[in-house]
């Protein structure tokens, strides 16, 4: 421990040079600023301790105290990292204390501590030979001025006989004392002088220089440390989560592939918090796919009949549709006869229009051989109690086309895409029949691809503009947001493509009710993108936000006011770390359309580890 506060601060800064260089390299290598920011927090915390705490508490530091201080500083820094969350997902784990991913900041601290101790013991004494003598400060010292030599005169004199003194004669055995023993004065005192009184033990007293007065450096360092602590407090307070005023229910399908194990997980969102209501069995099973075959590539796994407050869900693994009555408290009650046969194989998408339900049977399930089964677009009548009756009308798709969606636009247009490439559109007839549009199927716009492009060309995640005859879709493989117009006859026409900067595999889309903003869930890199559509035909990219612990965002939905965005985030592909994904994220829409995640509201979806929860529906509370 350096004896001066200024020396402690100088030593603290110098010993963290090597850790800072290491953290900088790690931040560049991992593209994660958390490493170097953590060293900055460590430095700020250490200076505050040096000036405010150690100056008053520690006067002398034995060797064992070095390790004890290291443990204490580690605990403080660990808690600060938990609160401030300086890195990207994976650099620490804010939801657990401790968490599986906390080894990154833990390793960084102890490696930095070893480097700091090595610097203090080995490097600094070489940098400044008088570093220890200078109180741990790097001072500029002057050369020592040699004292002047003075000649001292020498006088010759005889050496006296040491035995001739009175004291020597008195105590020498050669001169016995015939007088009786009496108390005599101390040698050197005049005869007859009384000896001094015995001293009373007073304890050890140290010579001091009076009351210590703080130097100018001490005062400056003290206020600097206070400013550092204040900045930490301000950062923590400013990091408070944004607020959502939505009061309603959020539903997510567990998509559990085990027999009759599929469920709907229900939450009540209120006061910026998701509260679990419960899980409700669908009476069927879902599917799993490591992200290779594309069986999960679909939109609309859940659909809400707002008029009847009915929630419908697909059982893709068992070829049925489940129906639930939404209760006032958000709980779900199965409608009579649920689940209902889907009229095909592997239903993956739903759409509601008045008295009709459109079901997209994908005919795609990795666990079943369905290559000889044709996909289909099938319709059902919805009864007053929510039960389903087939209309007998169905449109068969090409073999292995794997349709992704059955979006209903303007109450009478049905639009979807197929993984073989084209858009397919229909007009929905009153009896449930689907009449294909004149230019359907419509192949992807060739101008959106480079001449040498050989990857996937199909779009996904279609959504309609609330007031204009426009559709938006994600061309996932090229990270582009496409704009199409549509006619009341179902014909589509390409208008424009905008690059989704920072997104990997943007797949699902939502448009705000106020018609100003659009959002995409980017399944390839755990992010969500925001666009301005104030010019509806020319979307403008605003933001790509990384979700905390995001994995494969697979669906998103806005509340009816357009102020809160909910994102379901499964671990849909192999290789995703267990600490990521299977989450329900809550994001608040700011005044400029950008997003901020409400970290305290994020919910872990309690589904089997092998499940890939898909489908999301948001219903306001009555």
């Amino acid at each position: 421990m350096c004896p001066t506060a200024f020396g402690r601060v100088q030593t603290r800064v110098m010993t963290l040079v090597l850790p800072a260089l290491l953290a900088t390299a790690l931040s560049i290598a991992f593209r994660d600023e958390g490493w170097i920011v953590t060293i900055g927090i460590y430095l700020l915390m250490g200076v505050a301790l040096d000036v405010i705490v150690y100056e008053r508490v520690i006067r002398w530091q034995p060797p064992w105290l070095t390790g004890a201080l290291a443990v204490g500083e580690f605990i403080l820094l660990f808690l600060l990292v938990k609160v401030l969350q300086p890195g990207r997902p994976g650099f620490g784990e804010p939801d657990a204390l401790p968490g599986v991913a906390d080894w990154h900041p833990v390793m960084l601290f102890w490696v930095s501590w070893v480097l700091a101790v090595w610097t203090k013991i080995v490097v600094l004494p070489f940098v400044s030979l008088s570093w220890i003598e200078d109180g741990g400060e790097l001072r500029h010292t002057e050369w020592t001025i040699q004292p002047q030599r003075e000649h001292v005169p020498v006088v010759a004199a005889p050496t006296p006989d040491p035995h001739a003194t009175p004291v020597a004669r008195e105590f020498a055995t050669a001169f016995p004392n015939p007088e009786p023993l009496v108390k005599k004065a101390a040698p050197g005192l005049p005869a007859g002088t009384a000896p001094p009184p015995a001293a009373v033990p007073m304890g050890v007293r140290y010579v001091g220089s009076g009351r210590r007065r703080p130097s100018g450096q001490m005062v400056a360092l003290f206020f600097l440390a206070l400013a550092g602590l204040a900045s930490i407090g301000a950062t923590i307070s400013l990091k408070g989560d944004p607020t959502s005023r939505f009061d309603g229910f959020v539903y997510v399908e567990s998509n559990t592939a085990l027999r009759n194990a599929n469920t709907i997980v229900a939450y009540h969102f209120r006061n910026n918090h998701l509260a679990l209501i419960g899980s409700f069995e669908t009476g069927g099973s879902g599917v799993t796919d490591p992200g290779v075959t594309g069986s999960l590539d679909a939109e609309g796994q859940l659909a809400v009949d707002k008029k009847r407050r009915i929630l419908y869900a697909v059982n893709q693994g068992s070829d049925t549709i489940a129906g639930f009555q939404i209760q006032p408290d958000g709980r779900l009650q199965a409608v009579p006869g649920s689940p209902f046969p889907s009229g095909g194989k592997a239903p993956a998408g739903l759409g509601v229009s008045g008295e009709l339900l459109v079901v997209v049977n994908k005919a795609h399930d990795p666990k079943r051989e369905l290559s000889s089964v044709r996909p289909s677009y099938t319709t059902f009548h919805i009864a007053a109690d929510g039960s389903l009756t087939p209309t007998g009308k169905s449109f068969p798709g090409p073999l292995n086309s794997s349709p992704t969606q059955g979006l209903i636009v303007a109450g009478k247009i049905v639009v979807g895409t197929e993984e073989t490439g084209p858009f397919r559109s229909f007009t929905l007839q009153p009896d449930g029949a689907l009449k294909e549009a004149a230019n359907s199927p419509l192949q992807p716009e060739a101008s959106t691809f480079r001449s040498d492009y050989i990857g996937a060309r199909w779009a996904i995640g279609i959504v309609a503009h609330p007031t204009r005859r426009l559709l938006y879709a994600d061309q996932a493989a090229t990270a582009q947001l496409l704009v199409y117009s549509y006619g009341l006859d179902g014909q589509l026409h390409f208008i424009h493509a905008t690059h989704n900067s920072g997104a990997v595999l943007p797949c699902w889309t939502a448009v705000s009710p106020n018609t100003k903003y659009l959002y995409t869930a980017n399944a390839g890199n755990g992010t969500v993108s925001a666009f301005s559509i104030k010019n509806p035909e020319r979307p403008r990219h605003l933001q790509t936000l990384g979700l905390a612990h995001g994995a494969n965002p697979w669906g998103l939905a806005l509340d009816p006011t357009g102020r809160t965005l909910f994102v379901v985030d499964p671990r849909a592909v192999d290789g995703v770390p267990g600490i990521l994904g299977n989450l329900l994220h809550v994001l608040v829409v700011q005044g400029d359309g950008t997003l901020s995640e409400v970290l305290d509201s994020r919910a872990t979806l309690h589904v089997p580890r092998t499940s890939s929860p898909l489908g999301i529906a948001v219903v306001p509370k009555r």
Side-chain angles (χ1 to χ4, degrees):
M1 176 67 69
C2 299
T4 68
F6 193 62
R8 285 193 291 273
V9 173
Q10 277 195 355
T11 300
R12 175 82 65 171
V13 172
M14 290 183 291
T15 56
L16 286 180
V17 170
L18 288 180
L21 293 175
L22 172 64
T24 300
L26 291 172
S27 293
I28 295 173
F30 290 100
R31 297 183 179 180
D32 188 341
E33 68 279 4
W35 301 91
I36 186 60
V37 174
T38 298
I39 294 298
I41 296 173
Y42 185 18
L43 174 61
L44 187 60
M45 179 197 75
V47 170
L49 291 173
D50 286 335
V51 177
I52 299 176
V53 179
Y54 298 159
E55 166 69 13
R56 287 165 171 75
V57 174
I58 303 175
R59 295 299 182 190
W60 175 69
Q61 181 176 327
W64 64 265
L65 189 56
T66 301
L69 292 178
V71 173
E73 292 186 4
F74 165 71
I75 294 173
L76 289 176
L77 181 64
F78 185 75
L79 294 176
L80 284 173
V81 169
K82 282 289 187 182
V83 173
L84 299 176
Q85 301 177 27
R88 300 178 183 274
F91 183 86
E93 190 172 351
D95 295 333
L97 188 65
V100 177
D102 286 334
W103 69 271
H104 281 149
V106 171
M107 177 197 69
L108 179 63
F109 174 86
W110 289 112
V111 170
S112 299
W113 184 80
V114 171
L115 289 174
V117 171
W118 182 81
T119 301
K120 184 176 180 180
I121 296 176
V122 179
V123 177
L124 291 180
F126 278 103
V127 173
S128 174
L129 297 179
S130 62
W131 171 73
I132 296 177
E133 291 79 2
D134 291 338
E137 302 178 31
L138 295 181
R139 300 178 183 177
H140 178 68
T141 58
E142 300 292 341
W143 290 103
T144 301
I145 300 176
Q146 297 295 333
Q148 295 181 355
R149 297 181 179 181
E150 298 289 344
H151 293 285
V152 177
V154 178
V155 179
T159 304
D161 183 4
H163 300 288
T165 64
V167 174
R169 291 179 62 85
E170 181 176 355
F171 289 97
T173 58
F175 304 97
N177 185 3
E179 299 179 4
L181 296 176
V182 295
K183 183 179 293 186
K184 297 182 179 181
L189 291 178
T193 304
V200 178
M202 298 294 292
V204 178
R205 298 188 65 181
Y206 295 94
V207 176
S209 58
R211 186 177 179 182
R212 296 179 63 192
R213 295 183 180 181
S215 65
Q217 286 182 344
M218 279 290 299
V219 173
L221 289 173
F222 177 79
F223 284 106
L224 180 63
L226 283 182
L229 291 179
S231 66
I232 292 176
T235 302
I236 294 173
S237 63
L238 292 175
K239 202 173 177 67
D241 285 336
T243 301
S244 168
R245 297 185 179 182
F246 174 64
D247 185 0
F249 310 114
V250 183
Y251 300 98
V252 176
E253 183 170 353
S254 73
N255 191 36
T256 304
L258 301 176
R259 180 179 176 84
N260 294 330
N262 196 18
T263 60
I264 304 300
V265 186
Y267 293 91
H268 183 194
F269 184 82
R270 185 183 183 186
N271 296 329
N272 233 40
H273 179 66
L274 281 166
L276 179 66
I277 298 174
S279 296
F280 303 90
E281 296 179 356
T282 65
S285 58
V287 298
T288 57
D289 185 6
V292 177
T293 71
S295 62
L296 300 182
D297 296 336
E299 173 79 347
Q301 293 88 351
L302 298 182
V304 176
D305 181 346
K306 298 179 182 178
K307 177 182 176 181
R308 303 171 184 81
R309 299 275 290 186
I310 303 292
L311 176 72
Y312 293 104
V314 299
N315 285 319
Q316 190 172 347
S318 56
D319 308 330
T320 59
I321 306 298
F324 299 92
Q325 180 72 51
I326 301 174
Q327 304 299 307
D329 62 355
R331 299 181 65 83
L332 299 177
Q333 182 178 350
V335 303
S338 178
F340 306 94
S342 68
K345 294 295 183 179
L350 304 172
V352 175
S353 177
E355 311 300 318
L356 295 172
L357 176 72
V358 176
V359 177
V360 176
N361 289 294
K362 194 174 180 69
H364 197 161
D365 183 346
K367 291 188 176 181
R368 295 184 286 171
E369 174 51 54
L370 299 177
S371 59
S372 61
V373 179
R374 296 183 67 177
S376 66
Y377 301 80
T378 305
T379 58
F380 295 81
H381 286 296
I382 302 175
D385 61 0
S387 58
L388 301 176
T389 303
T391 64
K393 311 293 184 182
S394 180
F395 182 93
L399 283 172
N400 302 313
S401 58
S402 191
T404 66
Q405 192 172 357
L407 176 70
I408 299 179
V409 182
K412 61 176 297 185
I413 309 297
V414 179
V415 184
T417 61
E418 298 171 353
E419 293 192 33
T420 50
F423 289 84
R424 196 174 294 273
S425 58
F426 311 88
T427 55
L428 180 62
Q429 307 301 309
D431 62 354
L434 293 166
K435 181 180 179 182
E436 192 168 14
N439 67 345
S440 176
L442 179 65
Q443 295 299 324
E445 175 62 29
S447 63
T448 62
F449 303 98
R450 301 188 311 270
S451 59
D452 59 345
Y453 181 77
I454 59 174
R457 291 177 175 263
W458 52 283
I460 197 169
I462 310 170
V463 68
H465 189 280
T467 60
R468 302 279 295 271
R469 290 183 185 174
L470 296 174
L471 297 176
Y472 302 95
D474 296 304
Q475 197 160 268
T478 62
Q480 295 184 92
L481 178 65
L482 309 179
V483 185
Y484 281 80
S485 65
Y486 67 89
L488 295 180
D489 59 356
Q491 293 195 59
L492 306 181
H493 299 279
F494 174 77
I495 296 179
H496 183 70
T498 299
H499 181 61
N500 195 338
S501 179
V504 177
L505 297 180
C507 291
W508 322 112
T509 319
V511 172
S512 63
N514 65 4
T515 73
K516 293 182 179 180
Y517 306 108
L518 177 147
Y519 304 98
T520 69
N522 309 319
N525 63 344
T527 63
V528 175
S529 296
F531 290 83
S532 169
I533 53 170
K534 294 178 181 179
N535 181 349
E537 296 184 357
R538 294 290 189 275
R540 179 171 59 87
H541 182 266
L542 298 175
Q543 174 195 31
T544 295
L545 174 71
L547 298 174
H549 286 206
N552 308 120
W554 218 262
L556 69 175
L558 285 158
D559 76 82
T561 68
R563 302 297 300 172
T564 311
L565 183 69
F566 299 90
V567 183
V568 59
D569 180 18
R571 289 191 292 269
V573 299
D574 283 338
V576 176
I579 64 169
L580 305 181
N582 279 12
L583 298 169
L584 177 58
H585 301 269
V586 180
L587 298 94
V588 171
V589 178
Q590 307 296 331
D592 60 356
T594 58
L595 300 167
S596 295
E597 184 169 1
V598 187
L599 297 176
D600 289 341
S601 296
R602 185 176 64 246
T604 298
L605 294 166
H606 296 288
V607 299
R609 189 174 183 84
T610 56
S611 297
S612 296
L614 303 177
I616 184 168
V618 177
V619 180
K621 187 177 181 181
R622 278 185 173 176

